[in-house]
Amino acid sequence: MADLENLKYVHVDISELKPAPRNARTHSKSQINKIANSIKRFGFTNPVLIDKGRNIVGGHGGIAAAKQLGM
């Protein structure tokens, strides 16, 4: 279980993030396009979850869409 007292919200450059090598979830091009359109319309509203090593725990689709948008 995570130590909830040590969780924090930080801004990290997208180039520092590493996809989880065993990420079971994949996103189609159509899904990435939909996420990108949502980001364009509403902004990045869902945080990306990362561990101490900057490995993506949750939010691979959002990162793919952000890269597609040139963020």
Side-chain angles (χ1 to χ4, degrees), residues 25-65:
R25 177 135 189 213
T26 59
H27 295 82
S28 67
K29 289 181 182 182
S30 173
Q31 288 173 316
I32 299 299
N33 288 335
K34 288 177 183 178
I35 296 169
N37 287 333
S38 176
I39 291 171
K40 282 194 277 190
R41 184 167 180 189
F42 303 109
F44 216 112
T45 59
N46 292 326
V48 175
L49 306 176
I50 60 173
D51 64 14
K52 290 180 183 179
R54 310 257 169 161
N55 297 297
I56 302 168
V57 176
H60 289 84
I63 294 299

